Amino acid sequence: KAGVTQTPRYLIKTRGQQVTLSCSPISGHRSVSWYQQTPGQGLQFLFEYFSETQRNKGNFPGRFSGRQFSNSRSEMNVSTLELGDSALYLCASSLVPSAEAFFGQGTRLTVV
Amino acid sequence: KQEVTQIPAALSVPEGENLVLNCSFTDSAIYNLQWFRQDPGKGLTSLLLIQSSQREQTSGRLNASLDKSSGRSTLYIAASQPGDSATYLCAVNLSAQKLVFGQGTRLTINP
């Protein structure tokens, strides 16, 4: 059974650009959540989707957005990139929101 | 606001020892608590999930307990091995898969 797949694994972008990250959940999982991990702040919740609806959003600026498609795949977008957006972005999926969360390998974003 | 604290921040022990990692949280209104391990530069691997109505869960050499009333969880690792070296994270699920993480315990098992 395939795990959570995140693409791309690595990205280098320039300040001011925008970026889109993709997450394919485990087959049958309908809940997808996103997290940002940095050395200083640790793991912080970005947002969560269930059945194509955003149900929770963390304390991040509006430059961070996401969506979920009918096949449960999810994308997150960051516009007008800043140096501080450099981080490991992790996606998690679960069967339903209260169930065990399984994480992907992450996308390492570097903003220069 | 829910806060999760893990103590110690780092731990180094010789191979074969039994050890305990601690996790505390400030608000007992949680759906569940999950323990993960993270290897350098990698994603998170789920170790154990404890639902809010449960007191403990076991998987192989790992045992996790949950005391919601006191806001504490412990992860017990028996007969530690060098391959157990990693960062261990606990996370409480507040609602709808919104996980709040501790800062982690970096564990080193010395051969």
Side-chain angles (χ1 to χ4, degrees):
Chain A
K1 181 169 162 179
V4 179
T5 303
Q6 292 189 243
T7 56
R9 291 292 311 280
Y10 303 93
L11 265 178
I12 300 176
K13 290 286 188 179
T14 304
R15 270 182 303 174
Q17 287 186 313
Q18 75 165 18
V19 67
T20 299
L21 312 182
S22 179
C23 173
S24 293
I26 292 172
S27 178
H29 285 194
R30 295 165 62 195
S31 174
V32 173
S33 52
W34 289 88
Y35 296 82
Q36 181 196 65
Q37 186 176 31
T38 59
Q41 299 296 318
L43 275 151
Q44 294 186 286
F45 171 79
L46 280 158
F47 25 67
E48 186 262 347
Y49 290 88
F50 181 69
S51 294
E52 301 178 67
T53 301
Q54 184 183 92
R55 307 202 311 158
N56 262 305
K57 190 176 193 315
N59 189 24
F60 280 82
R63 301 185 296 106
F64 291 80
S65 63
R67 58 179 175 168
Q68 186 181 34
F69 302 95
S70 58
N71 61 359
S72 294
R73 190 178 70 85
S74 178
E75 289 181 346
M76 68 164 280
N77 184 77
V78 187
S79 62
T80 318
L81 285 165
E82 301 177 359
L83 294 179
D85 297 333
S86 295
L88 181 65
Y89 290 87
L90 292 161
C91 164
S93 79
S94 61
L95 203 57
V96 292
S98 59
E100 186 174 7
F102 295 90
F103 280 77
Q105 289 297 300
T107 294
R108 170 76 62 185
L109 172 65
T110 302
V111 182
V112 298
Chain B
K1 179 190 169 190
Q2 178 75 266
E3 292 183 0
V4 180
T5 304
Q6 291 187 245
I7 294 172
L11 182 63
S12 179
V13 300
E15 181 178 1
E17 280 204 3
N18 303 323
L19 54 98
V20 174
L21 307 182
N22 296 292
C23 172
S24 62
F25 47 96
T26 53
D27 188 342
S28 62
I30 63 172
Y31 274 70
N32 54 51
L33 184 145
Q34 201 165 346
W35 282 92
F36 298 91
R37 70 172 276 169
Q38 185 174 33
D39 295 288
K42 301 291 181 65
L44 277 61
T45 300
S46 178
L47 297 172
L48 288 164
L49 170 75
I50 311 178
Q51 298 292 352
S52 62
S53 58
Q54 297 176 315
R55 293 299 300 252
E56 67 177 280
Q57 280 288 343
T58 298
S59 176
R61 294 183 294 108
L62 305 179
N63 175 275
S65 67
L66 174 65
D67 184 342
K68 255 184 46 171
S69 60
S70 66
R72 294 178 186 276
S73 176
T74 61
L75 178 67
Y76 175 83
I77 303 176
S80 58
Q81 303 170 357
D84 295 331
S85 297
T87 296
Y88 289 78
L89 295 148
C90 75
V92 295
N93 187 350
L94 298 186
S95 65
Q97 207 54 264
K98 179 179 178 180
L99 300 180
V100 178
F101 285 86
Q103 290 294 325
T105 293
R106 190 171 67 253
L107 177 64
T108 303
I109 308 298
N110 301 303

PDB file of all heavy atoms in Angstrom, chain B residues 64-100:
ATOM      1  N   ALA B  64       3.222   3.356  25.026  1.00  0.00           N
ATOM      2  CA  ALA B  64       2.868   4.739  25.313  1.00  0.00           C
ATOM      3  C   ALA B  64       1.686   4.775  26.268  1.00  0.00           C
ATOM      4  O   ALA B  64       0.745   3.987  26.121  1.00  0.00           O
ATOM      5  CB  ALA B  64       2.534   5.483  24.029  1.00  0.00           C
ATOM      6  N   SER B  65       1.739   5.701  27.207  1.00  0.00           N
ATOM      7  CA  SER B  65       0.637   5.867  28.146  1.00  0.00           C
ATOM      8  C   SER B  65       0.071   7.267  28.022  1.00  0.00           C
ATOM      9  O   SER B  65       0.748   8.183  27.538  1.00  0.00           O
ATOM     10  CB  SER B  65       1.122   5.631  29.580  1.00  0.00           C
ATOM     11  OG  SER B  65       2.026   6.649  29.953  1.00  0.00           O
ATOM     12  N   LEU B  66      -1.166   7.413  28.456  1.00  0.00           N
ATOM     13  CA  LEU B  66      -1.826   8.715  28.406  1.00  0.00           C
ATOM     14  C   LEU B  66      -2.607   8.938  29.688  1.00  0.00           C
ATOM     15  O   LEU B  66      -3.410   8.092  30.090  1.00  0.00           O
ATOM     16  CB  LEU B  66      -2.778   8.792  27.209  1.00  0.00           C
ATOM     17  CG  LEU B  66      -3.652  10.043  27.108  1.00  0.00           C
ATOM     18  CD1 LEU B  66      -2.794  11.287  26.896  1.00  0.00           C
ATOM     19  CD2 LEU B  66      -4.666   9.907  25.972  1.00  0.00           C
ATOM     20  N   ASP B  67      -2.352  10.073  30.337  1.00  0.00           N
ATOM     21  CA  ASP B  67      -3.134  10.491  31.492  1.00  0.00           C
ATOM     22  C   ASP B  67      -3.702  11.865  31.157  1.00  0.00           C
ATOM     23  O   ASP B  67      -3.039  12.890  31.339  1.00  0.00           O
ATOM     24  CB  ASP B  67      -2.258  10.551  32.746  1.00  0.00           C
ATOM     25  CG  ASP B  67      -3.059  10.894  33.995  1.00  0.00           C
ATOM     26  OD1 ASP B  67      -4.180  11.409  33.865  1.00  0.00           O
ATOM     27  OD2 ASP B  67      -2.555  10.664  35.104  1.00  0.00           O
ATOM     28  N   LYS B  68      -4.911  11.869  30.639  1.00  0.00           N
ATOM     29  CA  LYS B  68      -5.508  13.122  30.179  1.00  0.00           C
ATOM     30  C   LYS B  68      -5.701  14.110  31.311  1.00  0.00           C
ATOM     31  O   LYS B  68      -5.499  15.314  31.154  1.00  0.00           O
ATOM     32  CB  LYS B  68      -6.864  12.837  29.514  1.00  0.00           C
ATOM     33  CG  LYS B  68      -6.842  12.927  28.015  1.00  0.00           C
ATOM     34  CD  LYS B  68      -8.186  12.728  27.396  1.00  0.00           C
ATOM     35  CE  LYS B  68      -9.303  13.502  28.052  1.00  0.00           C
ATOM     36  NZ  LYS B  68     -10.563  13.456  27.291  1.00  0.00           N
ATOM     37  N   SER B  69      -6.105  13.624  32.468  1.00  0.00           N
ATOM     38  CA  SER B  69      -6.423  14.524  33.576  1.00  0.00           C
ATOM     39  C   SER B  69      -5.212  15.326  34.031  1.00  0.00           C
ATOM     40  O   SER B  69      -5.336  16.484  34.437  1.00  0.00           O
ATOM     41  CB  SER B  69      -7.009  13.728  34.754  1.00  0.00           C
ATOM     42  OG  SER B  69      -6.072  12.773  35.209  1.00  0.00           O
ATOM     43  N   SER B  70      -4.036  14.700  33.952  1.00  0.00           N
ATOM     44  CA  SER B  70      -2.824  15.421  34.358  1.00  0.00           C
ATOM     45  C   SER B  70      -2.086  16.011  33.168  1.00  0.00           C
ATOM     46  O   SER B  70      -1.064  16.683  33.341  1.00  0.00           O
ATOM     47  CB  SER B  70      -1.879  14.491  35.128  1.00  0.00           C
ATOM     48  OG  SER B  70      -1.388  13.467  34.288  1.00  0.00           O
ATOM     49  N   GLY B  71      -2.576  15.760  31.972  1.00  0.00           N
ATOM     50  CA  GLY B  71      -1.954  16.311  30.773  1.00  0.00           C
ATOM     51  C   GLY B  71      -0.577  15.727  30.496  1.00  0.00           C
ATOM     52  O   GLY B  71       0.348  16.474  30.156  1.00  0.00           O
ATOM     53  N   ARG B  72      -0.455  14.403  30.644  1.00  0.00           N
ATOM     54  CA  ARG B  72       0.844  13.779  30.452  1.00  0.00           C
ATOM     55  C   ARG B  72       0.756  12.516  29.610  1.00  0.00           C
ATOM     56  O   ARG B  72      -0.217  11.770  29.686  1.00  0.00           O
ATOM     57  CB  ARG B  72       1.468  13.416  31.794  1.00  0.00           C
ATOM     58  CG  ARG B  72       1.840  14.577  32.669  1.00  0.00           C
ATOM     59  CD  ARG B  72       2.415  14.088  34.005  1.00  0.00           C
ATOM     60  NE  ARG B  72       2.650  15.196  34.913  1.00  0.00           N
ATOM     61  CZ  ARG B  72       3.745  15.938  34.897  1.00  0.00           C
ATOM     62  NH1 ARG B  72       4.715  15.671  34.038  1.00  0.00           N
ATOM     63  NH2 ARG B  72       3.903  16.928  35.745  1.00  0.00           N
ATOM     64  N   SER B  73       1.838  12.291  28.848  1.00  0.00           N
ATOM     65  CA  SER B  73       2.014  11.039  28.124  1.00  0.00           C
ATOM     66  C   SER B  73       3.478  10.640  28.225  1.00  0.00           C
ATOM     67  O   SER B  73       4.357  11.504  28.288  1.00  0.00           O
ATOM     68  CB  SER B  73       1.612  11.185  26.658  1.00  0.00           C
ATOM     69  OG  SER B  73       1.868   9.993  25.946  1.00  0.00           O
ATOM     70  N   THR B  74       3.735   9.351  28.254  1.00  0.00           N
ATOM     71  CA  THR B  74       5.107   8.862  28.248  1.00  0.00           C
ATOM     72  C   THR B  74       5.264   7.820  27.160  1.00  0.00           C
ATOM     73  O   THR B  74       4.326   7.080  26.845  1.00  0.00           O
ATOM     74  CB  THR B  74       5.506   8.233  29.593  1.00  0.00           C
ATOM     75  OG1 THR B  74       4.653   7.120  29.860  1.00  0.00           O
ATOM     76  CG2 THR B  74       5.410   9.227  30.731  1.00  0.00           C
ATOM     77  N   LEU B  75       6.439   7.796  26.567  1.00  0.00           N
ATOM     78  CA  LEU B  75       6.801   6.769  25.603  1.00  0.00           C
ATOM     79  C   LEU B  75       7.940   5.971  26.214  1.00  0.00           C
ATOM     80  O   LEU B  75       9.004   6.527  26.504  1.00  0.00           O
ATOM     81  CB  LEU B  75       7.229   7.384  24.273  1.00  0.00           C
ATOM     82  CG  LEU B  75       7.672   6.378  23.204  1.00  0.00           C
ATOM     83  CD1 LEU B  75       6.479   5.519  22.755  1.00  0.00           C
ATOM     84  CD2 LEU B  75       8.279   7.077  21.987  1.00  0.00           C
ATOM     85  N   TYR B  76       7.698   4.692  26.421  1.00  0.00           N
ATOM     86  CA  TYR B  76       8.687   3.794  27.007  1.00  0.00           C
ATOM     87  C   TYR B  76       9.297   2.956  25.886  1.00  0.00           C
ATOM     88  O   TYR B  76       8.559   2.349  25.092  1.00  0.00           O
ATOM     89  CB  TYR B  76       7.997   2.903  28.046  1.00  0.00           C
ATOM     90  CG  TYR B  76       8.860   1.838  28.648  1.00  0.00           C
ATOM     91  CD1 TYR B  76       9.717   2.133  29.718  1.00  0.00           C
ATOM     92  CD2 TYR B  76       8.814   0.529  28.181  1.00  0.00           C
ATOM     93  CE1 TYR B  76      10.499   1.145  30.291  1.00  0.00           C
ATOM     94  CE2 TYR B  76       9.604  -0.463  28.747  1.00  0.00           C
ATOM     95  CZ  TYR B  76      10.431  -0.150  29.804  1.00  0.00           C
ATOM     96  OH  TYR B  76      11.212  -1.125  30.361  1.00  0.00           O
ATOM     97  N   ILE B  77      10.629   2.970  25.807  1.00  0.00           N
ATOM     98  CA  ILE B  77      11.335   2.168  24.817  1.00  0.00           C
ATOM     99  C   ILE B  77      12.157   1.126  25.567  1.00  0.00           C
ATOM    100  O   ILE B  77      13.022   1.479  26.390  1.00  0.00           O
ATOM    101  CB  ILE B  77      12.257   3.022  23.926  1.00  0.00           C
ATOM    102  CG1 ILE B  77      11.447   4.119  23.231  1.00  0.00           C
ATOM    103  CG2 ILE B  77      12.971   2.138  22.899  1.00  0.00           C
ATOM    104  CD1 ILE B  77      12.298   5.075  22.390  1.00  0.00           C
ATOM    105  N   ALA B  78      11.880  -0.127  25.309  1.00  0.00           N
ATOM    106  CA  ALA B  78      12.590  -1.216  25.983  1.00  0.00           C
ATOM    107  C   ALA B  78      13.792  -1.664  25.157  1.00  0.00           C
ATOM    108  O   ALA B  78      13.752  -1.657  23.925  1.00  0.00           O
ATOM    109  CB  ALA B  78      11.645  -2.385  26.209  1.00  0.00           C
ATOM    110  N   ALA B  79      14.844  -2.051  25.856  1.00  0.00           N
ATOM    111  CA  ALA B  79      16.032  -2.641  25.215  1.00  0.00           C
ATOM    112  C   ALA B  79      16.458  -1.829  23.997  1.00  0.00           C
ATOM    113  O   ALA B  79      16.448  -2.323  22.857  1.00  0.00           O
ATOM    114  CB  ALA B  79      15.753  -4.088  24.833  1.00  0.00           C
ATOM    115  N   SER B  80      16.831  -0.587  24.212  1.00  0.00           N
ATOM    116  CA  SER B  80      17.132   0.340  23.112  1.00  0.00           C
ATOM    117  C   SER B  80      18.251  -0.194  22.208  1.00  0.00           C
ATOM    118  O   SER B  80      19.172  -0.907  22.642  1.00  0.00           O
ATOM    119  CB  SER B  80      17.513   1.702  23.671  1.00  0.00           C
ATOM    120  OG  SER B  80      18.620   1.583  24.543  1.00  0.00           O
ATOM    121  N   GLN B  81      18.152   0.194  20.924  1.00  0.00           N
ATOM    122  CA  GLN B  81      19.106  -0.225  19.894  1.00  0.00           C
ATOM    123  C   GLN B  81      19.614   1.009  19.148  1.00  0.00           C
ATOM    124  O   GLN B  81      18.904   2.018  19.094  1.00  0.00           O
ATOM    125  CB  GLN B  81      18.421  -1.169  18.900  1.00  0.00           C
ATOM    126  CG  GLN B  81      17.797  -2.399  19.527  1.00  0.00           C
ATOM    127  CD  GLN B  81      16.926  -3.174  18.561  1.00  0.00           C
ATOM    128  OE1 GLN B  81      16.734  -2.775  17.413  1.00  0.00           O
ATOM    129  NE2 GLN B  81      16.395  -4.298  19.021  1.00  0.00           N
ATOM    130  N   PRO B  82      20.791   0.947  18.535  1.00  0.00           N
ATOM    131  CA  PRO B  82      21.299   2.108  17.779  1.00  0.00           C
ATOM    132  C   PRO B  82      20.311   2.603  16.724  1.00  0.00           C
ATOM    133  O   PRO B  82      20.229   3.801  16.459  1.00  0.00           O
ATOM    134  CB  PRO B  82      22.584   1.573  17.154  1.00  0.00           C
ATOM    135  CG  PRO B  82      23.062   0.540  18.130  1.00  0.00           C
ATOM    136  CD  PRO B  82      21.801  -0.119  18.640  1.00  0.00           C
ATOM    137  N   GLY B  83      19.548   1.692  16.132  1.00  0.00           N
ATOM    138  CA  GLY B  83      18.556   2.077  15.129  1.00  0.00           C
ATOM    139  C   GLY B  83      17.405   2.888  15.689  1.00  0.00           C
ATOM    140  O   GLY B  83      16.616   3.453  14.932  1.00  0.00           O
ATOM    141  N   ASP B  84      17.298   2.975  17.004  1.00  0.00           N
ATOM    142  CA  ASP B  84      16.260   3.806  17.633  1.00  0.00           C
ATOM    143  C   ASP B  84      16.662   5.274  17.671  1.00  0.00           C
ATOM    144  O   ASP B  84      15.856   6.135  18.029  1.00  0.00           O
ATOM    145  CB  ASP B  84      15.984   3.332  19.066  1.00  0.00           C
ATOM    146  CG  ASP B  84      15.382   1.939  19.132  1.00  0.00           C
ATOM    147  OD1 ASP B  84      14.685   1.537  18.174  1.00  0.00           O
ATOM    148  OD2 ASP B  84      15.632   1.231  20.138  1.00  0.00           O
ATOM    149  N   SER B  85      17.899   5.584  17.320  1.00  0.00           N
ATOM    150  CA  SER B  85      18.367   6.964  17.335  1.00  0.00           C
ATOM    151  C   SER B  85      17.570   7.793  16.329  1.00  0.00           C
ATOM    152  O   SER B  85      17.519   7.460  15.142  1.00  0.00           O
ATOM    153  CB  SER B  85      19.858   7.032  16.987  1.00  0.00           C
ATOM    154  OG  SER B  85      20.628   6.344  17.962  1.00  0.00           O
ATOM    155  N   ALA B  86      16.946   8.834  16.808  1.00  0.00           N
ATOM    156  CA  ALA B  86      16.084   9.687  15.991  1.00  0.00           C
ATOM    157  C   ALA B  86      15.531  10.775  16.906  1.00  0.00           C
ATOM    158  O   ALA B  86      15.796  10.783  18.107  1.00  0.00           O
ATOM    159  CB  ALA B  86      14.928   8.893  15.381  1.00  0.00           C
ATOM    160  N   THR B  87      14.744  11.674  16.327  1.00  0.00           N
ATOM    161  CA  THR B  87      13.997  12.637  17.130  1.00  0.00           C
ATOM    162  C   THR B  87      12.580  12.101  17.316  1.00  0.00           C
ATOM    163  O   THR B  87      11.949  11.688  16.340  1.00  0.00           O
ATOM    164  CB  THR B  87      13.964  14.015  16.466  1.00  0.00           C
ATOM    165  OG1 THR B  87      15.290  14.537  16.401  1.00  0.00           O
ATOM    166  CG2 THR B  87      13.089  14.979  17.255  1.00  0.00           C
ATOM    167  N   TYR B  88      12.117  12.113  18.548  1.00  0.00           N
ATOM    168  CA  TYR B  88      10.785  11.605  18.872  1.00  0.00           C
ATOM    169  C   TYR B  88       9.876  12.781  19.189  1.00  0.00           C
ATOM    170  O   TYR B  88      10.205  13.639  19.999  1.00  0.00           O
ATOM    171  CB  TYR B  88      10.858  10.628  20.045  1.00  0.00           C
ATOM    172  CG  TYR B  88      11.510   9.325  19.642  1.00  0.00           C
ATOM    173  CD1 TYR B  88      12.891   9.228  19.517  1.00  0.00           C
ATOM    174  CD2 TYR B  88      10.742   8.210  19.329  1.00  0.00           C
ATOM    175  CE1 TYR B  88      13.500   8.051  19.101  1.00  0.00           C
ATOM    176  CE2 TYR B  88      11.335   7.021  18.927  1.00  0.00           C
ATOM    177  CZ  TYR B  88      12.706   6.958  18.808  1.00  0.00           C
ATOM    178  OH  TYR B  88      13.303   5.785  18.382  1.00  0.00           O
ATOM    179  N   LEU B  89       8.730  12.808  18.527  1.00  0.00           N
ATOM    180  CA  LEU B  89       7.784  13.908  18.659  1.00  0.00           C
ATOM    181  C   LEU B  89       6.445  13.383  19.156  1.00  0.00           C
ATOM    182  O   LEU B  89       5.977  12.347  18.701  1.00  0.00           O
ATOM    183  CB  LEU B  89       7.573  14.589  17.307  1.00  0.00           C
ATOM    184  CG  LEU B  89       8.790  15.294  16.711  1.00  0.00           C
ATOM    185  CD1 LEU B  89       8.767  15.230  15.202  1.00  0.00           C
ATOM    186  CD2 LEU B  89       8.822  16.743  17.168  1.00  0.00           C
ATOM    187  N   CYS B  90       5.859  14.127  20.076  1.00  0.00           N
ATOM    188  CA  CYS B  90       4.483  13.806  20.432  1.00  0.00           C
ATOM    189  C   CYS B  90       3.594  14.934  19.913  1.00  0.00           C
ATOM    190  O   CYS B  90       4.041  16.077  19.791  1.00  0.00           O
ATOM    191  CB  CYS B  90       4.296  13.608  21.929  1.00  0.00           C
ATOM    192  SG  CYS B  90       4.301  15.089  22.935  1.00  0.00           S
ATOM    193  N   ALA B  91       2.368  14.585  19.582  1.00  0.00           N
ATOM    194  CA  ALA B  91       1.426  15.556  19.051  1.00  0.00           C
ATOM    195  C   ALA B  91       0.041  15.262  19.583  1.00  0.00           C
ATOM    196  O   ALA B  91      -0.381  14.109  19.620  1.00  0.00           O
ATOM    197  CB  ALA B  91       1.417  15.513  17.524  1.00  0.00           C
ATOM    198  N   VAL B  92      -0.667  16.308  19.992  1.00  0.00           N
ATOM    199  CA  VAL B  92      -2.059  16.145  20.407  1.00  0.00           C
ATOM    200  C   VAL B  92      -2.952  16.618  19.278  1.00  0.00           C
ATOM    201  O   VAL B  92      -2.655  17.612  18.608  1.00  0.00           O
ATOM    202  CB  VAL B  92      -2.366  16.914  21.709  1.00  0.00           C
ATOM    203  CG1 VAL B  92      -1.568  16.333  22.864  1.00  0.00           C
ATOM    204  CG2 VAL B  92      -2.084  18.392  21.583  1.00  0.00           C
ATOM    205  N   ASN B  93      -4.016  15.874  19.062  1.00  0.00           N
ATOM    206  CA  ASN B  93      -4.973  16.195  18.022  1.00  0.00           C
ATOM    207  C   ASN B  93      -6.119  16.971  18.665  1.00  0.00           C
ATOM    208  O   ASN B  93      -6.905  16.411  19.424  1.00  0.00           O
ATOM    209  CB  ASN B  93      -5.484  14.912  17.365  1.00  0.00           C
ATOM    210  CG  ASN B  93      -6.354  15.193  16.159  1.00  0.00           C
ATOM    211  OD1 ASN B  93      -6.734  16.329  15.892  1.00  0.00           O
ATOM    212  ND2 ASN B  93      -6.668  14.157  15.426  1.00  0.00           N
ATOM    213  N   LEU B  94      -6.191  18.281  18.355  1.00  0.00           N
ATOM    214  CA  LEU B  94      -7.209  19.127  18.982  1.00  0.00           C
ATOM    215  C   LEU B  94      -8.570  18.907  18.354  1.00  0.00           C
ATOM    216  O   LEU B  94      -9.576  18.769  19.035  1.00  0.00           O
ATOM    217  CB  LEU B  94      -6.816  20.594  18.847  1.00  0.00           C
ATOM    218  CG  LEU B  94      -5.510  21.012  19.536  1.00  0.00           C
ATOM    219  CD1 LEU B  94      -5.333  22.508  19.428  1.00  0.00           C
ATOM    220  CD2 LEU B  94      -5.492  20.551  20.971  1.00  0.00           C
ATOM    221  N   SER B  95      -8.590  18.937  17.033  1.00  0.00           N
ATOM    222  CA  SER B  95      -9.855  18.750  16.329  1.00  0.00           C
ATOM    223  C   SER B  95      -9.553  18.664  14.845  1.00  0.00           C
ATOM    224  O   SER B  95      -8.659  19.331  14.365  1.00  0.00           O
ATOM    225  CB  SER B  95     -10.802  19.919  16.582  1.00  0.00           C
ATOM    226  OG  SER B  95     -10.281  21.102  16.038  1.00  0.00           O
ATOM    227  N   ALA B  96     -10.306  17.839  14.153  1.00  0.00           N
ATOM    228  CA  ALA B  96     -10.222  17.763  12.693  1.00  0.00           C
ATOM    229  C   ALA B  96      -8.788  17.712  12.190  1.00  0.00           C
ATOM    230  O   ALA B  96      -8.413  18.473  11.302  1.00  0.00           O
ATOM    231  CB  ALA B  96     -10.957  18.953  12.081  1.00  0.00           C
ATOM    232  N   GLN B  97      -7.986  16.822  12.807  1.00  0.00           N
ATOM    233  CA  GLN B  97      -6.621  16.579  12.347  1.00  0.00           C
ATOM    234  C   GLN B  97      -5.742  17.824  12.472  1.00  0.00           C
ATOM    235  O   GLN B  97      -4.819  18.016  11.684  1.00  0.00           O
ATOM    236  CB  GLN B  97      -6.628  16.068  10.907  1.00  0.00           C
ATOM    237  CG  GLN B  97      -5.435  15.209  10.576  1.00  0.00           C
ATOM    238  CD  GLN B  97      -5.250  14.056  11.516  1.00  0.00           C
ATOM    239  OE1 GLN B  97      -4.492  14.137  12.472  1.00  0.00           O
ATOM    240  NE2 GLN B  97      -5.953  12.974  11.275  1.00  0.00           N
ATOM    241  N   LYS B  98      -6.018  18.696  13.442  1.00  0.00           N
ATOM    242  CA  LYS B  98      -5.124  19.803  13.737  1.00  0.00           C
ATOM    243  C   LYS B  98      -4.209  19.330  14.859  1.00  0.00           C
ATOM    244  O   LYS B  98      -4.601  19.301  16.026  1.00  0.00           O
ATOM    245  CB  LYS B  98      -5.913  21.035  14.182  1.00  0.00           C
ATOM    246  CG  LYS B  98      -5.026  22.213  14.518  1.00  0.00           C
ATOM    247  CD  LYS B  98      -5.827  23.414  14.941  1.00  0.00           C
ATOM    248  CE  LYS B  98      -4.914  24.560  15.314  1.00  0.00           C
ATOM    249  NZ  LYS B  98      -5.687  25.755  15.736  1.00  0.00           N
ATOM    250  N   LEU B  99      -2.991  18.953  14.481  1.00  0.00           N
ATOM    251  CA  LEU B  99      -2.034  18.443  15.450  1.00  0.00           C
ATOM    252  C   LEU B  99      -1.172  19.574  15.991  1.00  0.00           C
ATOM    253  O   LEU B  99      -0.697  20.414  15.230  1.00  0.00           O
ATOM    254  CB  LEU B  99      -1.136  17.386  14.803  1.00  0.00           C
ATOM    255  CG  LEU B  99      -1.819  16.146  14.241  1.00  0.00           C
ATOM    256  CD1 LEU B  99      -0.793  15.206  13.638  1.00  0.00           C
ATOM    257  CD2 LEU B  99      -2.605  15.434  15.325  1.00  0.00           C
ATOM    258  N   VAL B 100      -0.974  19.555  17.312  1.00  0.00           N
ATOM    259  CA  VAL B 100      -0.048  20.475  17.951  1.00  0.00           C
ATOM    260  C   VAL B 100       1.119  19.645  18.460  1.00  0.00           C
ATOM    261  O   VAL B 100       0.919  18.707  19.251  1.00  0.00           O
ATOM    262  CB  VAL B 100      -0.712  21.246  19.111  1.00  0.00           C
ATOM    263  CG1 VAL B 100       0.306  22.155  19.792  1.00  0.00           C
ATOM    264  CG2 VAL B 100      -1.885  22.059  18.592  1.00  0.00           C
TER     265      VAL B 100
END
